[in-house]
């Protein structure tokens, strides 16, 4: 038990450090980066809940992020702006304007509900079939977002979403996400699910209903994604369906794979490391473009770096940087070793 | 009658391209049980090869041959970068590395060439139209059908009559047993990737020929098409892939002819929901592939 | 011909073969007997290169071939017929045999002559040349895998339980064919559960128990040993 509390304390401590660092530096850009980092934590931890415990790759995650973002946007865009932002909106919602703090939760629930309905039959599949269906699900969700103009304003940018997500709200959500991901991992369900990851037959023999276990994890994962998406929407305040497709999938997956999908610590570390490297590279890219060293804009360096890093990690450290043990476990072990000496 | 002929030509030319695409995905999947997410980028590579050769004095056919060769080369490179180092580790690992490799190639094109579309050289034949029995159709469509027929026949010959083809079919069922007869594992896998690249390269000529230009994200749509076609036809059956390609073309063209405009934009959502339903009903696809399914 | 010394192999933490030493002379038919799970199949798979040894050596004609890949072993003249009877079910009988000659694919004439020899030895296969191998009966499939292994023109044939699951008259046929193959000067290492049958045709025999050699000697000596049954029962 102590080791779990230790893990929780260290990881939340890291989030607090990020917040303090950003606040004291009093640089507006840093505060933005830190807020974004906390939102990414919620999203990546959401993917970790499903992928880390079930061992199955899911491409659909950012689809649920999109559902969350659009749900909260639709419910919070000020009534007087709705005519412009969402001209085709159903009349029922046209006069509706709710508090974003409530709609962020609703967004999570809607994403979870959609996940619960569409994913139930999919959880029987494994390996390639599971991955292709999740990929197909992402394409379906994306197509719907792209063309359901009543709710999403179609492929055009949706604007006018109230800005509510600040550093503290995002950090609070990240801390809760860390706690929830850890709690699920160490719960009876989480442990059973991880047994199925390693040996499906043996877990079945233990009386575990594998598809149901996966289903619960998938719903929980979509809940995280929905909340994360809504937070992101209220941070960025305008977006189009493009924001919830392969590029975003790649970044979230990259963070998780590099950090280590098997552990909550890995997910947190992955987000931190990738964010730091990304922002560094982006700054360099910006400088290069400003200096106009090349005739064309320099783009794609960050993605290339992330792709190479992912491949390298999978070759040399297949489990990610933190593969099996949580940080609390590691610290306690080291302390014990020191006592022995 | 005219409408019908038009429909048939549309289905056959689209289906030919789809079938070749699907075949290229299945030949790798059948042997390794692994999906190559970087498959669409082979089309992109062929496209940029054409773009870079644009303006050279070479005849178009030579440029096209070089483009197809580059696509084959990139297919083999995919194996070395994304598959071989992690193949033994886990299915998920390979799916992620091939996805990462796909993003890598796209962004390399973005960085080193341009995010904007680039024109590719095309022979005049591609832009002319011809009238058959009252139907006006681009010559390109007829060329696609002819190329597809020739490619499929060549492919069938390769798989049935040559030792390497027979060995590839054998490796799809009992990989280790094929090795115990002296067939080198790496040769089989590299050949599969080379054929995959060859097919993608050939399709690229016609796929890009329709658009006339190439962008970094060009590979996504063909990849999705290949996914759907293979799932419809059978993930591990070569005949199934071809059948799936033509069936998908039939469905797509049929929907194009019949669906009202505001539903048509949801076409991808329909076809992909169909993919999910088929996989649920038959995880192996409509046509069952070879009997057993051990992985290497 | 083939000399195995202190061979160790296993699956993860399970040690299936523990320090086994055997040898097979030129033209000799040696049988390895033992109960289920004694490590017989693992021994053959390790020699054939399909299972990586964790210790010991395999020598072929005095050359160290320990840990070679399966495809290398075939090229060196060691062919394996696994117990799982892996015909390629979607390939025709002719295609299966053609693949058997993969390492000699450039020597078209010799291969064709050998193919005729195999059809003479197994007439049933000739009748079913264009049939998919998956549609053959168990006995026919066994003939096919043996013939396919012979198409590589091996010096050593590793046979894993050729009689498994076959009707008694078919078992007799298969054993007759093994004897016929031996007359061509081929060295054969035969793994069998059917001890009495195997001892009738073998020159020498080893008894494997829990991954170790429990007894060895001429086929007659082993057949006479009174505790043979006890060994099988693990007593």
């Amino acid at each position: 038990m102590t080791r779990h509390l230790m893990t929780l304390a260290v990881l939340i401590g890291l989030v607090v450090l990020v917040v303090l660092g950003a606040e004291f530096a009093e640089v507006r850009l840093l505060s933005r980066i830190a807020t974004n980092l906390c939102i990414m934590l919620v999203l990546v931890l959401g993917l970790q809940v499903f992928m880390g415990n079930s061992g199955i790759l899911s491409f659909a995650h950012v689809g649920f992020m999109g559902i969350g973002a659009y749900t909260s946007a639709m419910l919070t865009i000020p009534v007087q702006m709705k005519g412009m932002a969402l001209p085709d909106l159903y009349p029922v919602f046209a006069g509706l304007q709710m508090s974003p703090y409530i709609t962020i939760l609703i967004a999570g629930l809607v994403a979870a509900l959609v996940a619960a309905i569409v994913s139930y039959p999919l959880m029987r599949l494994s390996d390639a079939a599971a991955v292709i269906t999740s990929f197909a699900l992402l394409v379906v969700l994306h197509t719907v977002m792209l063309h359901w103009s009543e709710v999403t304003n179609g492929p055009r940018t949706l604007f006018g979403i109230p800005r509510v997500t600040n550093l503290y709200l995002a950090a609070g959500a990240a801390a809760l996400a860390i706690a929830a991901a850890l709690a699920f991992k160490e719960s009876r369900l989480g442990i059973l699910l991880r047994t199925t990851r390693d040996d499906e037959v043996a877990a079945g023999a233990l009386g575990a209903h594998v598809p149901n276990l996966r289903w619960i994890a998938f719903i929980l994962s979509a809940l995280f994604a929905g909340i994360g998406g809504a937070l992101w929407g209220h941070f960025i305040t305008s977006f189009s369906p493009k924001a919830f497709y392969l590029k975003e999938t790649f970044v979230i997956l990259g963070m998780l794979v590099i950090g280590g999908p098997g552990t909550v610590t890995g997910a947190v570390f992955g987000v931190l490391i990738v964010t730091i490297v990304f922002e560094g590279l982006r700054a360099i890219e910006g400088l290069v473009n400003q200096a106009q060293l090349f005739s064309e804009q320099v783009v794609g360096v960050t993605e290339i770096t992330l792709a190479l890093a992912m491949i390298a990690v999978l070759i040399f450290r297949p489990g990610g940087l933190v593969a099996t043990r949580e940080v609390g476990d590691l610290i306690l072990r080291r302390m014990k070793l020191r006592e022995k000496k | 009658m005219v409408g019908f002929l038009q429909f048939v030509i549309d289905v056959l030319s689209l289906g030919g391209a789809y079938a070749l695409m699907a075949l290229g995905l299945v030949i790798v999947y059948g042997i390794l049980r692994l999906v190559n997410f970087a498959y669409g980028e082979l089309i992109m590579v062929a496209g940029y090869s054409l773009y870079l050769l644009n303006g050279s004095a070479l005849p178009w056919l030579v440029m096209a041959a070089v483009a197809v060769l580059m696509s084959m080369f990139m297919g083999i490179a995919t194996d070395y970068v994304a598959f071989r180092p992690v193949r033994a580790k886990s299915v998920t690992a390979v799916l992620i590395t091939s996805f990462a490799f796909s993003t890598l190639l796209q962004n390399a094109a973005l960085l080193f060439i341009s995010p904007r579309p680039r024109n590719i050289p095309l022979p005049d034949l591609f832009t002319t139209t011809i009238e058959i029995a009252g139907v006006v159709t681009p010559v390109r469509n007829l060329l696609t059908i002819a190329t597809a027929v020739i490619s499929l026949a060549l492919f069938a010959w390769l798989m049935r009559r040559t030792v390497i083809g027979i060995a590839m079919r054998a490796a799809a069922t009992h990989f280790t047993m094929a090795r115990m007869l002296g067939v080198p594992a790496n040769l089989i896998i590299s050949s599969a990737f080379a054929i995959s690249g060859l097919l993608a390269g050939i399709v690229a000529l016609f796929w890009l020929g329709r658009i006339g230009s190439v962008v970094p994200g060009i590979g996504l749509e063909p990849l999705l098409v290949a996914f759907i076609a293979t799932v419809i036809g059978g993930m591990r059956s070569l005949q199934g892939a071809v059948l799936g390609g033509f069936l998908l073309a039939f469905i797509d063209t049929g929907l194009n002819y019949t669906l009202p405009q505001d539903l048509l934009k949801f076409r991808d959502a329909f076809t992909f929901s169909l993919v999910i339903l088929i996989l649920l009903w038959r995880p192996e696809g409509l046509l069952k592939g070879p009997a057993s399914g051990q992985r290497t | 011909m083939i000399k195995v010394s202190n061979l160790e192999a296993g699956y993860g933490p399970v040690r299936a073969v523990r320090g086994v030493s055997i040898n097979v002379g030129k033209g000799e038919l040696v049988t390895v007997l033992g109960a289920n799970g004694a490590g017989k199949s693992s021994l053959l798979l390790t020699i054939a290169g399909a299972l990586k040894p964790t210790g010991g050596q395999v020598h072929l004609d005095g050359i160290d071939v320990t840990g070679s890949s399966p495809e290398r072993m075939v090229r060196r003249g060691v062919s394996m017929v696994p117990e799982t009877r892996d015909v390629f079910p979607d390939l025709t009988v002719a295609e299966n045999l053609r693949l058997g000659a993969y390492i000699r694919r450039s020597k078209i004439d010799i291969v064709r002559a050998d193919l005729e020899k195999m059809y003479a030895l197994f007439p049933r296969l000739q009748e079913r040349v264009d049939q998919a191998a998956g549609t053959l009966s168990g006995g026919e499939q066994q003939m096919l895998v043996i013939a396919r292994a012979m198409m590589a023109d091996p010096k050593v044939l590793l046979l894993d339980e050729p009689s498994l699951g076959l009707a008694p008259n078919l078992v007799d046929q298969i054993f007759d064919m093994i004897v016929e193959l031996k007359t061509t000067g081929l060295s054969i290492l035969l793994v069998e559960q059917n001890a009495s049958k195997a001892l009738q045709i073998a020159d020498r025999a080893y008894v494997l128990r829990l991954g170790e050699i429990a007894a060895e000697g001429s086929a007659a000596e082993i057949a006479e040993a009174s505790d043979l049954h006890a060994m099988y029962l693990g007593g």
Side-chain angles (χ1 to χ4, degrees):
Chain A
M1 196 59 218
T2 35
R3 60 199 167 104
H4 300 327
L5 286 177
M6 179 75 108
T7 307
L8 188 65
V10 172
L11 295 181
I12 291 185
L14 275 175
V15 175
V16 172
L17 265 181
V18 167
V19 173
L20 289 179
E23 282 295 289
F24 278 107
E26 283 187 1
V27 181
R28 206 159 152 265
L29 178 69
L30 263 186
S31 162
R32 271 191 78 86
I33 292 174
T35 312
N36 201 37
L37 185 146
C38 288
I39 298 171
M40 289 314 277
L41 272 176
V42 177
L43 292 166
V44 173
L45 283 164
L47 188 58
Q48 192 277 335
V49 165
F50 180 69
M51 218 179 116
N53 292 304
S54 74
I56 296 175
L57 175 59
S58 170
F59 276 110
H61 199 62
V62 296
F64 295 107
M65 173 190 172
I67 293 179
Y70 277 113
T71 306
S72 194
M74 187 185 76
L75 296 175
T76 55
I77 293 177
V79 173
Q80 61 273 24
M81 280 186 70
K82 271 190 173 153
M84 222 156 50
L86 277 172
D88 303 328
L89 186 65
Y90 299 111
V92 196
F93 295 108
L96 201 65
Q97 184 186 340
M98 295 169 73
S99 157
Y101 297 103
I102 298 169
T103 60
I104 289 173
L105 290 178
I106 295 178
L109 292 175
V110 169
L113 184 70
V114 174
I117 296 166
V118 297
S119 74
Y120 185 70
L122 305 185
M123 294 297 130
R124 283 187 293 125
L125 306 169
S126 337
D127 283 357
V131 178
I132 296 180
T133 45
S134 80
F135 196 85
L137 188 56
L138 176 66
V139 178
V140 172
L141 291 175
H142 181 72
T143 314
V144 171
M145 280 186 239
L146 211 50
H147 298 294
W148 195 5
S149 16
E150 285 82 356
V151 178
T152 66
N153 200 24
R156 293 170 299 275
T157 302
L158 180 62
F159 54 88
I161 304 144
R163 170 133 202 209
V164 259
T165 308
N166 55 28
L167 183 54
Y168 295 103
L169 180 62
L176 279 177
I178 291 172
L182 263 178
F184 180 76
K185 187 179 169 233
E186 300 306 337
S187 70
R188 209 185 84 88
L189 281 177
I191 292 168
L192 258 179
L193 187 57
R194 265 175 291 138
T195 335
T196 72
R197 177 188 68 187
D198 302 326
D199 189 341
E200 201 168 318
V201 181
L206 283 174
H209 188 272
V210 181
N212 274 356
L213 289 174
R214 284 181 190 159
W215 187 51
I216 293 168
F218 195 82
I219 296 172
L220 189 59
S221 158
L223 178 74
F224 278 53
I227 292 177
L231 284 171
W232 185 81
H234 288 295
F235 172 61
I236 215 89
T237 69
S238 63
F239 52 79
S240 71
K242 266 200 310 204
F244 314 104
Y245 210 28
L246 293 171
K247 199 170 170 180
E248 198 66 15
T249 302
F250 173 70
V251 173
I252 289 178
L253 194 62
M255 289 177 167
L256 186 56
V257 166
I258 289 173
T263 59
V264 176
T265 310
V268 174
F269 281 16
V271 174
L272 284 173
I273 294 168
V274 173
T275 305
I276 292 168
V277 175
F278 249 52
E279 293 305 332
L281 285 171
R282 204 164 283 164
I284 295 172
E285 242 180 39
L287 284 178
V288 170
N289 284 338
Q290 238 172 17
Q292 294 187 317
L293 290 180
F294 302 98
S295 57
E296 291 224 34
Q297 292 262 310
V298 173
V299 277
V301 176
T302 47
E303 278 80 9
I304 292 177
T305 314
L306 182 57
L308 287 173
M310 276 166 86
I311 295 175
V313 163
L314 282 168
I315 294 173
F316 300 111
R317 257 190 105 100
L321 297 179
V322 190
T324 47
R325 293 190 193 289
E326 298 290 354
V327 61
D329 211 2
L330 293 171
I331 292 175
L332 286 179
R333 261 160 199 273
R334 188 151 296 177
M335 277 163 55
K336 264 183 203 149
L337 272 178
R338 205 166 284 170
E339 272 168 32
K340 270 184 196 162
K341 277 178 192 167
Chain B
M1 185 57 211
V2 168
F4 178 73
L5 187 63
Q6 178 86 57
F7 181 75
V8 168
I9 293 178
D10 284 355
V11 169
L12 288 182
S13 66
L14 199 62
Y18 284 8
L20 295 183
M21 280 299 298
L23 211 48
L25 197 66
V26 166
I27 181 115
V28 169
Y29 184 83
I31 291 172
L32 291 175
R33 309 277 176 282
L34 293 169
V35 180
N36 179 12
F37 275 99
Y39 183 53
E41 274 60 51
L42 299 179
I43 298 225
M44 182 197 85
V45 166
Y48 280 113
S49 307
L50 279 178
Y51 157 68
L52 292 174
L53 291 169
N54 203 356
S56 69
L58 297 170
W60 186 80
L61 272 178
V62 178
M63 290 195 250
V66 173
V68 173
L69 275 178
M70 285 306 293
S71 163
M72 278 175 87
F73 168 77
M74 196 48 80
I76 298 172
T78 311
D79 176 32
Y80 277 88
V81 177
F83 281 67
R84 204 160 286 191
V86 288
R87 211 166 67 208
K89 286 177 184 133
S90 80
V91 182
T92 311
V94 182
L95 294 168
I96 298 174
T97 48
S98 73
F99 182 53
F101 191 60
S102 146
T103 311
L104 180 73
L105 291 178
Q106 277 187 41
N107 283 284
L110 214 61
L111 178 63
F112 295 114
I113 301 180
S114 169
R116 282 189 293 277
R118 285 289 183 242
N119 287 334
I120 57 164
L122 290 173
D124 294 337
L125 204 56
F126 266 56
T127 44
T128 43
T129 53
I130 187 174
E131 195 187 314
I132 319 166
V135 179
V136 179
T137 185
V139 178
R140 197 188 56 239
N141 279 353
L142 303 179
L143 279 176
T144 312
I145 298 175
T147 312
V149 169
I150 295 170
S151 304
L152 288 176
L154 259 174
F155 182 79
W157 173 83
L158 182 84
M159 295 308 278
R160 304 216 151 267
R161 293 278 174 257
T162 67
V163 179
I164 190 81
I166 296 175
M168 274 193 275
R169 280 160 60 215
T173 41
H174 294 301
F175 199 92
T176 314
M177 189 61 234
R179 296 183 67 187
M180 284 199 277
L181 294 178
V183 181
N186 287 339
L187 173 76
I188 291 298
I189 295 169
S190 292
S191 312
F193 274 98
I195 294 177
S196 178
L198 173 71
L199 292 167
I202 294 172
V203 176
L205 300 178
F206 297 98
W207 193 276
L208 299 166
R210 248 189 347 187
I211 314 166
S213 63
V214 53
V215 285
I218 191 86
L220 181 61
E221 206 190 331
L223 174 73
L224 297 181
V225 161
F227 266 161
I228 314 172
T230 50
V231 168
I232 293 177
M235 294 286 294
R236 296 180 41 217
S237 157
L238 298 172
Q239 293 94 327
V242 176
L243 179 76
F246 281 103
L247 258 174
L248 177 63
F250 179 76
I251 297 172
D252 268 7
T253 316
L255 289 178
N256 270 346
Y257 276 59
T258 52
L259 268 192
Q261 201 56 43
D262 49 334
L263 277 181
L264 196 58
K265 56 194 186 187
F266 287 101
R267 199 184 69 188
D268 280 357
F270 287 128
T271 38
F272 275 91
S273 304
L274 182 71
V275 165
I276 296 176
L277 289 178
I278 290 176
L279 274 178
L280 285 173
W281 173 46
R282 277 186 168 215
E284 290 269 302
L286 285 186
L287 284 196
K288 280 256 162 65
S292 90
Q294 27 152 232
R295 240 167 47 84
T296 45
Chain C
M1 200 73 215
I2 208 158
K3 189 166 180 291
V4 174
S5 21
N6 296 319
L7 198 66
E8 301 262 348
Y11 308 87
V14 184
R15 289 170 62 213
V17 181
R18 310 172 169 202
V20 170
S21 301
I22 59 172
N23 62 72
V24 181
K26 182 152 176 51
E28 209 179 12
L29 200 172
V30 175
T31 180
V32 175
L33 308 171
N36 254 334
K40 307 182 303 281
S41 296
S42 308
L43 174 63
L44 282 201
L45 285 171
T46 315
I47 298 174
L51 199 62
K52 286 273 169 261
T54 50
Q57 282 109 40
V58 180
H59 286 271
L60 181 68
D61 282 334
I63 302 162
D64 189 355
V65 293
T66 317
S68 295
S69 67
E71 45 264 49
R72 285 293 275 284
M73 288 308 285
V74 185
R75 274 167 213 283
R76 295 194 152 118
V78 179
S79 277
M80 162 101 181
V81 177
E83 135 192 69
T84 37
R85 213 170 284 160
D86 292 327
V87 297
F88 301 116
D90 311 288
L91 273 57
T92 64
V93 169
E95 284 172 335
N96 265 278
L97 291 173
R98 186 168 171 201
L99 211 53
Y102 180 84
I103 56 167
R104 301 192 292 155
R105 59 193 179 284
S106 53
K107 301 170 188 157
I108 296 164
D109 292 335
I110 306 176
V111 169
R112 189 165 297 154
D114 280 357
L115 194 60
E116 291 309 318
K117 268 189 228 160
M118 283 303 131
Y119 285 146
L121 193 60
F122 304 102
R124 290 286 280 283
L125 295 183
Q126 187 156 29
E127 293 165 24
R128 310 211 185 292
V129 158
D130 289 320
Q131 212 168 309
T135 63
L136 300 183
S137 72
E140 289 162 349
Q141 292 195 356
Q142 187 62 54
M143 292 175 198
L144 178 58
V145 282
I146 295 177
R148 192 179 62 190
M150 290 304 297
M151 288 305 291
D153 192 26
K155 293 184 279 187
V156 181
L157 185 64
L158 308 173
L159 271 175
D160 197 355
E161 308 241 8
S163 73
L164 190 75
L166 297 184
N169 61 325
L170 271 171
V171 174
D172 289 343
Q173 263 187 45
I174 296 282
F175 274 88
D176 288 346
M177 285 160 194
I178 296 173
V179 172
E180 213 167 322
L181 290 177
K182 181 181 184 296
T183 59
T184 63
L186 181 72
S187 310
I188 301 174
L189 184 58
L190 170 68
V191 156
E192 258 301 338
Q193 289 238 50
N194 192 339
S196 56
K197 275 268 163 211
L199 288 171
Q200 277 172 29
I201 60 167
D203 301 317
R204 288 191 302 113
Y206 294 86
V207 178
L208 211 56
R209 201 176 68 192
L210 298 174
E212 291 169 351
I213 299 282
E216 60 176 293
S218 71
E221 282 166 16
I222 296 289
E224 276 167 24
S226 53
D227 59 346
L228 189 61
H229 284 276
M231 278 170 189
Y232 263 66
L233 296 168

